[in-house]
Amino acid sequence: MGVLLATGALAFTSPAQADVFTFTSCHLSDGCGTATNFGTVTLTQSGTNVLFDVVLNSGNRFVETGAGGGALFIFNDTLATTAVTNITATLNGANVAITGGVSGLTNQTPFQADGTGFWTASVFCTTASSCNGGSTPNINDLHFTVTNATLAQLETANSLGNIFVADILCGQTGCTGLTGPVDVHVGAVPEPSTWAMLILGFAGIGFMAYRRKSQTGFRFA
């Protein structure tokens, strides 16, 4: 009976919600050649936390070139109560030792990454010289947790319509040897004035439709 109850409980347990995004927007030095896909970002809701798995395509590695805001990975998070924890950097699944380790910050003063806009959260090498474009360390995956947040809160686009950026040294076909940011682009975010114009436009369309309907009804009365 206990086994049946346990099985029933498992059957009704909701799976963790996960969203997957692909790095397709290129800001590498000298362009990206024929490359159009550089890796993925997977966000998984786990209770009140969000788990990040940032996985670059084979051959690519994270670096800090400066064009990427001085970080390995950046995103948007202005929430006052969040924190980045449990950061691991890996190569083909094995942990990579980094002198000084890796740190993360949220709710930062907005900073810029070349061509991708402004950002407020980052994961970076604590000792910058450990990751500033050299041949080591070789990192192709980053895994970390953002506490006290939801998927929707961490999937917010900046004013250029970008939600995540990785600073990479490309090693895949089409862009080998080039460095710089690649990002997940979801579309431009209208400015407040644009939203106001859209709302007024829709209101005007609604009024005209109502007026036309009223006039038509009067004509046939």
Side-chain angles (χ1 to χ4, degrees):
M1 183 68 173
V3 173
L4 290 175
L5 288 173
T7 304
L10 287 173
F12 288 98
T13 300
S14 299
Q17 182 183 353
D19 293 338
V20 181
F21 302 87
T22 303
F23 291 110
T24 58
S25 184
C26 168
H27 300 276
L28 300 185
S29 59
D30 301 319
C32 289
T34 59
T36 58
N37 178 329
F38 307 93
T40 60
V41 184
T42 301
L43 279 70
T44 305
Q45 190 74 48
S46 178
T48 59
N49 303 327
V50 175
L51 312 180
F52 275 73
D53 296 293
V54 189
V55 180
L56 298 181
N57 290 348
S58 179
N60 297 338
R61 66 176 65 174
F62 289 95
V63 292
E64 292 180 359
T65 64
L72 303 170
F73 178 77
I74 55 180
F75 56 107
N76 301 302
D77 181 357
T78 57
L79 303 171
T81 59
T82 57
V84 178
T85 64
N86 303 323
I87 308 171
T88 58
T90 64
L91 174 64
N92 301 325
N95 287 356
V96 176
I98 301 172
T99 302
V102 183
S103 300
L105 290 172
T106 64
N107 198 27
Q108 296 178 249
T109 300
F111 60 91
Q112 191 168 16
D114 288 3
T116 67
F118 286 88
W119 304 87
T120 54
S122 61
V123 174
F124 53 93
C125 290
T126 309
T127 302
S129 59
S130 296
C131 300
N132 281 350
S135 58
T136 57
N138 191 344
I139 311 164
N140 62 8
D141 298 348
L142 285 172
H143 311 279
F144 59 92
T145 299
V146 176
T147 61
N148 303 314
T150 66
L151 296 180
Q153 289 171 326
L154 300 180
E155 294 169 3
T156 303
N158 65 13
S159 61
L160 295 185
N162 301 319
I163 55 177
F164 306 117
V165 169
D167 197 3
I168 72 168
L169 168 61
C170 182
Q172 69 182 65
T173 301
C175 57
T176 301
L178 301 178
T179 60
V182 293
D183 64 78
V184 174
H185 180 76
V186 295
V189 180
E191 298 294 334
S193 58
T194 304
W195 279 118
M197 291 176 65
L198 287 172
I199 291 170
L200 287 173
F202 286 129
I205 291 171
F207 175 75
M208 292 299 293
Y210 172 78
R211 184 177 180 184
R212 186 178 295 112
K213 182 177 179 181
S214 299
Q215 291 173 342
T216 303
F218 176 78
R219 193 174 292 127
F220 288 94

